[in-house]
Amino acid sequence: MASKANKPKLLEKGRRRDGRALDELRDIRIKAGVLNNADGSAYVEWGNNRILAAVYGPREVIPKHFSNPNGAIVKCRYSMAPFSSLEGHGRSGQNRRSIEISKVIKDVFENVIILGEFPDSEIDIFMEVLQGDGSTRAACINAASVALASAGIPMRDLVYSVSIGKIDGEIGIDMDMIEDNYSDADMPIAVSPRNNGLLLLQMDGDLSESELKKGFDMALEAGKRIHNIQREALSEMYKGV
Amino acid sequence: MSGIDIVKSNYVKEIIKRGERLDKRGAFDIRDIKIENNPLFNAEGSARVNLGLTDVIAGVKAVIEEPHSDTPKEGNLIVSAELLPAASADFETGPPGPAAIELARVVDRGIRAGRCIDMEGLFLEEGKSISLYVDIYVLDYDGNLFDACSIAAMRALMNTKLPKYENGEFNMEDRSVPLKIESIVSSTTYGKFGDVIIADMNAEEEAATDARLTITTDGKAVKAMQKGLNGSFTIDEVERLVGISLKKHEELKSKMES
């Protein structure tokens, strides 16, 4: 959280800096099957976020001793490009933040991929944040979901993800970078829409019990729209095939 | 997982789904917590915590550093965790892996979001502030490292006495300035087995659980949460567990203060 001294006003008459209502998502565009070499891929424009997700596999496990005769293992890498932020130059490669995010995203996809179909195999999910503007892990999960489906990997569900936040004391969804920096709480979730199970849940800041409830309600409502955009991207990919 | 491990974990799962536990605890009973204050004296503050058979120690070192450019008038808090190979046959040597990094970052977020430390109070003068390094060592593993490490870090900070700042440096002969603690947070970690949820899993339970949820509160509001493993929680379950964590806070807080 950035210092409060130069905090901009995030809400004016119920509208956010970019004119959105609290329960409104940014513009989302998803294109599936954008890479040639990868078995599956997706490119996501989510507000100013630009995310590329690629899926390889199921393929042979390297190194071999990690392989599991009962099913596929999932490897996940979330990373932010050095040029992805407005300010400064990030270091390429993994840091503590990206290692943790990669781990919690791996937990999400291990739940939905039908791992048992691919013993002794690995499925790799690479998520590259080419441009970041807040809620990047949510955008990456949405991209990876579509990339996995486009690779033809059998899944129980098409997961979506959205962030819930407290902006100038009010509950809202899909925070951009400035809102995230000055928010009173940040709670990204990933949901399996068939049963609304929470596959990813992280939170820090300050939320009362009623605010928590309100945030979940808003996120599930927005999730319907995200889910539709994901499905459309996939059917678009097969048009003309 | 070997064949024996799978049999064992299925057995643990079945017992818990029946509403029982191997050690006869109730679903939300937390094992005995023992806290040793300042077992180390080179550190500015330390605490050793036993949660059942889990044994962790946290040490705080204060270092004068340049403030971060985005917080020029504040100090720093850096929390790390090490899963020592001494603590379990499953822990390997080498730099912290994803599990240790997740553990440290969850503890860190709880303390930070709970505003436990007055970060502005760690500012010394232009270009100089105090960085608090909290390092948590896991010495012996029997489950629920999230809560054990959170208690150890919190208590080590409560035990911290900073050296006097004189003529631009620390006077290590005079470590008499207690670190100001603004708020105490407590974390409770739950595991899910089918539809049954329990708190404070031991190692056997942790190896068998489908999903894990850590909730950190200050007794009034939720300050941090982290779901782990590949199972899922329903929204109703999360809301119910938040209520339980909020209620458990006083008991945990008084343990930490004793």
Side-chain angles (χ1 to χ4, degrees):
Chain A
M1 268 166 264
S3 73
K4 299 283 163 206
N6 39 11
K7 178 178 181 292
K9 210 167 162 46
L10 301 176
L11 270 184
E12 192 123 26
K13 292 185 190 132
R15 293 276 156 181
R16 293 147 77 167
R17 289 166 54 262
D18 56 6
R20 278 188 293 155
L22 282 159
D23 60 354
E24 196 175 339
L25 292 164
R26 287 175 278 182
D27 282 338
I28 305 165
R29 261 195 293 267
I30 305 181
K31 197 165 166 14
V34 293
L35 299 175
N36 290 316
N37 282 320
D39 297 308
S41 61
Y43 184 67
V44 170
E45 297 183 1
W46 183 294
N48 292 331
N49 286 315
R50 297 290 181 272
I51 314 282
L52 185 64
V55 169
Y56 281 83
R59 60 181 179 182
E60 199 179 346
V61 179
I62 298 166
K64 234 181 165 120
H65 66 269
F66 285 125
S67 72
N68 176 1
N70 299 317
I73 62 166
V74 177
K75 289 185 185 168
C76 240
R77 193 183 93 129
Y78 160 102
S79 82
M80 289 188 81
F83 45 75
S84 62
S85 308
L86 189 57
E87 275 170 48
H89 172 245
R91 262 186 234 149
S92 58
Q94 296 293 87
N95 54 35
R96 290 169 66 86
R97 173 179 174 273
S98 70
I99 289 170
E100 187 201 347
I101 293 174
S102 302
K103 181 176 188 288
V104 292
I105 295 179
K106 175 172 130 37
D107 291 339
V108 169
F109 290 110
E110 277 180 352
N111 180 285
V112 288
I113 297 172
I114 301 174
L115 300 168
E117 296 213 357
F118 309 105
D120 288 318
S121 314
E122 77 175 47
I123 295 166
D124 293 271
I125 307 169
F126 302 110
M127 292 154 287
E128 307 291 341
V129 179
L130 303 176
Q131 185 167 283
D133 187 23
S135 307
T136 57
R137 81 193 67 183
C140 281
I141 291 169
N142 293 319
S145 248
V146 173
L148 280 161
S150 77
I153 289 173
M155 291 191 286
R156 293 184 180 87
D157 210 349
L158 196 64
V159 176
Y160 71 81
S161 178
V162 63
S163 71
I164 299 159
K166 194 161 147 187
I167 308 158
D168 276 354
E170 299 285 335
I171 297 299
I173 54 164
D174 188 23
M175 292 185 290
D176 66 22
M177 182 63 106
I178 299 280
E179 289 174 337
D180 186 23
N181 284 348
Y182 297 100
S183 70
D184 310 307
D186 176 19
M187 179 164 75
I189 64 170
V191 180
S192 191
R194 77 196 153 113
N195 57 9
N196 284 343
L198 297 169
L199 301 180
L200 175 140
L201 169 64
Q202 298 183 288
M203 179 259 162
D204 71 320
D206 181 281
L207 286 180
S208 70
E209 287 181 271
S210 61
E211 288 169 335
L212 191 68
K213 209 174 182 65
K214 195 171 174 190
F216 281 136
D217 287 345
M218 260 186 203
L220 290 192
E221 199 49 46
K224 291 178 193 157
R225 203 186 133 212
I226 302 169
H227 190 68
N228 277 336
I229 297 170
Q230 290 174 309
R231 292 173 66 119
E232 275 165 27
L234 286 163
S235 53
E236 190 68 25
M237 180 182 134
Y238 289 108
K239 252 189 202 160
V241 169
Chain B
M1 252 193 187
S2 71
I4 294 274
D5 290 338
I6 292 170
V7 172
K8 206 164 142 188
S9 105
N10 286 342
Y11 175 66
V12 171
K13 267 188 192 144
E14 262 176 45
I15 296 252
I16 292 172
K17 283 180 189 168
R18 257 192 266 149
E20 296 166 27
R21 289 177 88 163
L22 287 173
D23 56 8
K24 311 283 180 212
R25 272 188 292 155
F28 297 113
D29 290 353
I30 291 167
R31 290 169 290 176
D32 246 8
I33 299 170
K34 276 194 220 103
I35 302 176
E36 189 186 348
N37 290 314
N38 282 329
L40 309 173
F41 47 83
N42 279 348
E44 273 69 80
S46 61
R48 185 165 180 171
V49 171
N50 288 284
L51 174 59
L53 296 177
T54 287
D55 188 356
V56 306
I57 191 164
V60 178
K61 287 300 294 175
V63 181
I64 301 170
E65 288 181 340
E66 204 176 310
H68 276 310
S69 56
D70 51 347
T71 52
K73 299 277 182 207
E74 292 179 24
N76 282 320
L77 175 72
I78 303 100
V79 180
S80 317
E82 292 265 359
L83 306 177
L84 297 188
S88 162
D90 296 330
F91 297 166
E92 285 169 27
T93 49
I101 290 171
E102 182 189 28
L103 173 60
R105 287 177 62 87
V106 170
V107 172
D108 179 295
R109 279 202 288 271
I111 293 171
R112 215 175 277 275
R115 298 178 190 277
C116 300
I117 292 158
D118 171 20
M119 301 301 277
E120 280 161 24
L122 297 175
F123 175 74
L124 297 169
E125 58 180 292
E126 208 52 44
K128 276 185 174 180
S129 69
I130 299 175
S131 294
L132 293 173
Y133 285 85
V134 183
D135 287 276
I136 313 163
Y137 268 39
V138 176
L139 307 174
D140 211 352
Y141 168 71
D142 190 22
N144 199 3
L145 292 178
F146 284 88
D147 297 348
C149 291
S150 156
I151 297 169
M154 193 71 242
R155 185 67 240 204
L157 287 165
M158 289 157 74
N159 287 338
T160 294
K161 288 209 166 98
L162 298 170
K164 278 236 170 82
Y165 182 66
E166 294 166 354
N167 311 321
E169 53 185 47
F170 273 152
N171 176 4
M172 297 306 281
E173 305 296 312
D174 184 3
R175 291 191 290 178
S176 57
V177 190
L179 176 67
K180 223 170 113 197
I181 303 294
E182 310 257 87
S183 163
I184 292 174
V185 292
S186 67
S187 88
T188 27
T189 298
Y190 304 91
K192 187 170 164 182
F193 301 76
D195 293 327
V196 181
I197 296 176
I198 60 172
D200 185 30
M201 291 179 283
N202 65 21
E204 280 167 329
E205 293 169 334
E206 220 161 59
T209 192
D210 304 326
R212 188 193 70 223
L213 179 64
T214 301
I215 300 172
T216 307
T217 85
D218 63 355
K220 295 191 273 297
V222 193
K223 295 297 177 180
M225 287 197 277
Q226 176 95 340
K227 192 232 120 191
L229 307 181
N230 56 33
S232 70
F233 284 91
T234 67
I235 288 171
D236 285 346
E237 284 165 348
V238 173
E239 289 172 356
R240 187 173 133 234
L241 296 176
V242 162
I244 294 173
S245 292
L246 287 167
K247 282 198 197 83
K248 278 205 183 288
H249 175 74
E250 267 317 305
E251 176 195 339
L252 288 165
K253 180 172 174 244
S254 64
K255 286 230 165 82
M256 278 187 260
E257 284 170 326
S258 63

